Structures are given as structure tokens and as C-alpha cells.
Amino acid sequence: MSTFYFIAFLSIFFSILVISAKNPVHSILYLVLTFFTFTIHYILLNAQFLAVVNFIVYMGAILVLFLYTLMLINLNKEAEPVKPFMVKISAVFGGGILAVALVSSLKSLGVSDPVVLKDPNLGLVKNLGKVLFNEFLLPFEISSVLLLSAMVGAVLLATKEKEPKATI
């Protein structure tokens, strides 16, 4: 159980670093670490499929997209607008309300018994594959054809037609 609390502390710590980092690239790298701690949580909860999906989709694809987007846009300090005083006041007020909510919820926190899984095979990828390819084979195949047609449509929309050369 101490491993869970340590990983939870790291998740909160890296999440705070995401929103407090001055450099957006550092913020995205802290977000990678936050998602990695979420993946460890999924493994501790015996949800291997969610761990793999989180690792591949979020850490692999979306965060790489974020990095490329940040590298393509120009983030200058001069271009950043100055925030009005009322926005700063409302941010402090919202932060105070959040702190009150956190303190009140932590006061009502009690000690709970550890959760023991009755079925140790719960959350395994093997069981998900059996259900997916036996009971839900038709919806799975229909969604794969739909995604394939969407990908073909995106490629066709992205390609530019060559203008025909004028012959005299």
C-alpha cells in the first residue's frame, strides 16, 4: 500500500509541476511523467489494458503531438498578454475555495481496509480479447472499417490535385 501512496504523491507532484512550469516544453515533459505515474497506478490496480492504452495513446501519440505543436508555434514573452487585476483576484479566490474543499475532504478521511480482488483475472488483456473477439466481433469489425474509411478520406482530403498543364 505504501507503493500506491508514493506513486500518488508523485502524480500530484508532477501535476503541480505541469501547471507551474514557466517553459511549455518542460510542462509537457512533466505531463509525460504524470501520465507515466497513471500507468503505474493502472498496473497496481491490475488493469493492464488501461495501462497499455495510456502508455501508447497518451504518452506516445498525444504528447508527441503537443510537443510538435509547441515547436511550431512561436511563444514569445512579448506576445503574452498582461492579465487584468480582476483575473488575478478571481484566481486567488478560486484557489482559496479549492484549498478549503481539500482541507474539509481530508478531515473526513478515514482509514479503509485494503481492497482484495475476488477474481484475480479481472482486468487482464486476455479476458478483454476473448470478449472482444467472441461476443463483440461484428461491432469491432464495423468500427475498424469505419476508421479505415475515415483514414482514407483524410488522406484524400490532404492530397492536393496537380493542376493540368495547359497545352497549346
Side-chain angles (χ1 to χ4, degrees):
M1 204 56 156
S2 63
T3 306
F4 179 82
Y5 287 123
F6 178 69
I7 300 300
F9 169 75
L10 286 179
S11 297
I12 294 170
F13 177 70
F14 288 135
S15 300
I16 291 171
L17 287 177
V18 166
I19 59 174
S20 65
K22 297 284 184 190
N23 191 345
V25 175
H26 292 163
S27 179
I28 289 180
L29 293 176
Y30 291 135
L31 191 61
V32 167
L33 291 173
T34 304
F35 281 148
F36 186 70
T37 58
F38 292 165
T39 302
I40 295 172
H41 276 295
Y42 289 140
I43 291 171
L44 288 176
L45 293 172
N46 199 24
Q48 289 96 0
F49 178 72
L50 287 177
V52 169
V53 166
N54 185 39
F55 189 80
I56 292 172
V57 173
Y58 286 107
M59 291 177 59
I62 293 177
L63 290 175
V64 169
L65 181 67
F66 283 171
L67 278 174
Y68 280 130
T69 305
L70 271 179
M71 290 178 189
L72 287 176
I73 62 175
N74 189 9
L75 295 175
N76 293 330
K77 294 282 185 186
E78 299 86 27
E80 185 175 335
V82 178
K83 294 177 180 64
F85 186 69
M86 280 304 284
V87 171
K88 293 179 183 178
I89 292 286
S90 62
V92 169
F93 181 70
I97 290 176
L98 177 66
V100 167
L102 286 174
V103 167
S104 64
S105 65
L106 288 176
K107 280 186 176 182
S108 66
L109 186 68
V111 178
S112 63
D113 295 330
V115 176
V116 179
L117 291 176
K118 294 177 183 169
D119 184 14
N121 293 327
L122 187 68
L124 296 179
V125 179
K126 179 175 75 173
N127 296 335
L128 178 70
K130 284 181 183 177
V131 170
L132 188 63
F133 290 119
N134 288 333
E135 296 175 29
F136 297 104
L137 182 63
L138 183 64
F140 180 74
E141 291 298 327
I142 289 174
S143 64
S144 66
V145 169
L146 180 68
L147 288 173
L148 178 66
S149 63
M151 189 171 24
V152 168
V155 168
L156 288 176
L157 287 174
T159 56
K160 294 182 179 179
E161 294 182 18
K162 295 181 181 179
E163 295 180 12
K165 295 182 180 179
T167 56
I168 300 179

